[in-house]
Amino acid sequence: MYNQEYKEAFINALERKEDSKIQYMSMFNRVAPIELAKNKDMYDMNMDELDDLFYKLRRKTTRSAVQFFNLIKSYITWAKDNGYSESRLHPIVDTINSEFVEKYLYKVGNQYYTRDEILDAIQHLVNPRDKAIVLCLFEGVFGKSCSEIINLRYEDITERDGKYYASLLSDEIDLTNRQLEISKELYDLLELTFNTQETWNEKGNKSRVVDGEFIFRKNRVGSNGDIRLTQASIVTKYMEVIKSAFDDNQLNASRINNSGIMWYANELMDEKRVLTKDILSKLVERFDLPTTTVNGTVYPSYTRFRERIDVDYMIQVYGDFRMEFWYSKKDWM
């Protein structure tokens, strides 16, 4: 954090609830590399320098940009009122509203996707198989090297009492199996994929799908007699088609999967907006996330979980929240 002493003084002076302090700490960490590059605290920047800073922050939504820039403005106001800045003149004279932030919004593709964005984008895909692959990844059907997708049989998907389930085989050697509740949208796509006898390629040519008990099948039997799609075909051939539908050349299976983790995390939080250990355990179960064992007891791996989510993205898109297991000052510095 740049000029940490002053920023901590500002945090300590806040007469606000703890969540607001965390917002400011997060903002300070985000702008620190820019301040360091300019060798200047925000409160000593002129409007041209702040203009550059606002662009580099790459806020994606109007709401998040207004909120974030107002945090910056409040800090600059406090610093000038307390005599920390070389100049008493405030560089931001305009009201920070939707009109002010419009030019700073980052509009070059999405790094992650909400469920609505996923469902909207897959409508541009022709084959049910391609749509199902995307929704599988988003809902947690993945496995090692796409094993849970590749091994999925029609008999593995069921409906009970208005809910839908998939029995997932991740490892064919030790027969690691888990049950996962899936959405009706995914269930319907899996059923449709199984019953589809023909697919279309990007050139508009039609190919017949081989028969068999697996949901995701090849257009012709492999040399080893295997009718299942391969991991290589999913992450290369079919992902290229999916990238085109999303108009996102950087899209990959992991980004879709991580998008699902963040969407489900948001859905599981209540009005208090706390990502609890219980919620993390549910995410670990759904997405088969890494765990760690201490004295014979299995716990979620908090470190590995943090690697899978983007806190800035979640705050921008879903709103402010805090983590029950990540809530000390040192975690934000």
Side-chain angles (χ1 to χ4, degrees):
M1 186 187 301
Y2 190 86
N3 257 357
Q4 183 169 331
E5 180 183 352
Y6 291 161
K7 290 182 171 67
E8 286 187 348
F10 170 76
I11 291 294
N12 293 331
L14 284 175
E15 295 180 357
R16 297 169 181 248
K17 58 184 179 179
E18 197 68 22
D19 286 351
S20 295
K21 295 184 179 182
I22 289 179
Q23 291 178 40
Y24 278 104
M25 294 295 288
S26 179
M27 180 270 288
F28 289 146
N29 284 331
R30 187 66 186 270
V31 302
I34 304 172
E35 290 179 306
L36 186 62
K38 296 180 182 294
N39 194 26
K40 185 179 292 188
D41 197 295
M42 287 180 287
Y43 59 63
D44 273 333
M45 293 183 190
N46 59 36
M47 194 56 216
D48 286 340
E49 291 167 322
L50 288 173
D51 192 65
D52 179 59
L53 180 144
F54 289 157
Y55 276 114
K56 288 180 177 177
L57 290 173
R58 295 187 172 188
R59 309 311 286 184
K60 289 184 177 180
T61 67
T62 299
R63 186 186 68 83
S64 71
V66 169
Q67 182 185 48
F68 205 86
F69 295 172
N70 270 313
L71 293 177
I72 293 174
K73 184 176 182 179
S74 294
Y75 168 67
I76 293 175
T77 300
W78 173 86
K80 290 186 177 296
D81 288 347
N82 285 274
Y84 291 121
S85 177
E86 294 179 359
S87 170
R88 299 278 299 187
L89 295 177
H90 203 302
I92 307 175
V93 295
D94 296 320
T95 300
I96 296 181
N97 51 25
S98 57
E99 183 178 355
F100 179 92
V101 305
E102 176 63 29
K103 70 175 183 176
Y104 299 111
L105 296 182
Y106 186 60
K107 301 176 181 179
V108 185
N110 285 338
Q111 189 172 2
Y112 303 104
Y113 295 87
T114 66
R115 184 177 182 85
D116 285 343
E117 289 170 339
I118 289 285
L119 293 176
D120 181 64
I122 63 176
Q123 299 310 309
H124 300 290
L125 292 164
V126 175
N127 299 308
R129 173 199 61 204
D130 302 333
K131 297 178 182 180
I133 288 173
V134 174
L135 210 49
C136 275
L137 294 169
F138 189 83
E139 295 195 13
V141 182
F142 199 174
K144 184 179 180 180
S145 301
C146 301
S147 57
E148 292 180 343
I149 296 175
I150 294 167
N151 292 319
L152 196 59
R153 294 176 169 86
Y154 183 64
E155 66 184 27
D156 294 329
I157 59 172
T158 55
E159 184 270 330
R160 298 193 304 272
D161 301 324
K163 294 184 177 181
Y164 304 87
Y165 301 90
S167 179
L168 306 174
L169 178 63
S170 181
D171 194 316
E172 296 176 88
I173 297 177
D174 64 12
L175 300 180
T176 301
N177 183 278
R178 66 191 186 105
Q179 299 290 317
L180 184 70
E181 183 177 348
I182 60 176
S183 67
K184 186 179 188 303
E185 291 94 340
L186 178 53
Y187 179 88
D188 290 343
L189 280 174
L190 292 172
E191 190 172 49
L192 184 58
T193 298
F194 177 78
N195 292 319
T196 297
Q197 297 181 329
E198 296 174 329
T199 60
W200 299 82
N201 65 19
E202 60 274 15
K203 296 181 180 179
N205 299 322
K206 184 169 57 176
S207 300
R208 181 172 176 78
V209 178
V210 299
D211 296 326
E213 74 271 32
F214 293 97
I215 292 177
F216 296 98
R217 307 184 303 280
K218 298 176 180 177
N219 293 108
R220 61 173 180 266
V221 180
S223 57
N224 60 356
D226 198 344
I227 66 172
R228 297 172 298 175
L229 294 186
T230 64
Q231 184 254 356
S233 65
I234 292 175
V235 301
T236 55
K237 178 181 178 181
Y238 299 120
M239 192 55 64
E240 286 301 316
V241 176
I242 293 167
K243 286 180 182 180
S244 178
F246 278 71
D247 192 23
D248 183 352
N249 290 328
Q250 303 302 314
L251 188 65
N252 57 36
S254 293
R255 276 178 53 195
I256 297 173
N257 192 241
N258 291 343
S259 295
I261 292 173
M262 290 185 281
W263 184 84
Y264 274 97
N266 179 68
E267 288 294 299
L268 290 169
M269 283 188 279
D270 60 20
E271 66 278 0
K272 294 180 180 178
R273 303 297 296 160
V274 180
L275 205 167
T276 63
K277 294 178 182 179
D278 181 59
I279 290 175
L280 177 57
S281 294
K282 292 177 180 178
L283 294 173
V284 167
E285 183 177 355
R286 168 168 288 279
F287 291 94
D288 198 22
L289 299 176
T291 57
T292 184
T293 302
V294 179
N295 296 327
T297 303
V298 178
Y299 299 96
S301 174
Y302 304 138
T303 301
R304 297 296 297 277
F305 173 71
R306 293 179 197 175
E307 294 172 357
R308 300 292 297 274
I309 68 169
D310 185 323
V311 174
D312 283 340
Y313 168 83
M314 290 185 67
I315 292 173
Q316 286 183 48
V317 175
Y318 299 122
D320 293 320
F321 73 101
R322 66 179 178 87
M323 298 190 200
E324 185 178 66
F325 45 88
W326 183 12
Y327 194 44
S328 63
K329 183 180 290 186
K330 64 182 178 62
D331 288 317
W332 292 89
M333 292 183 178

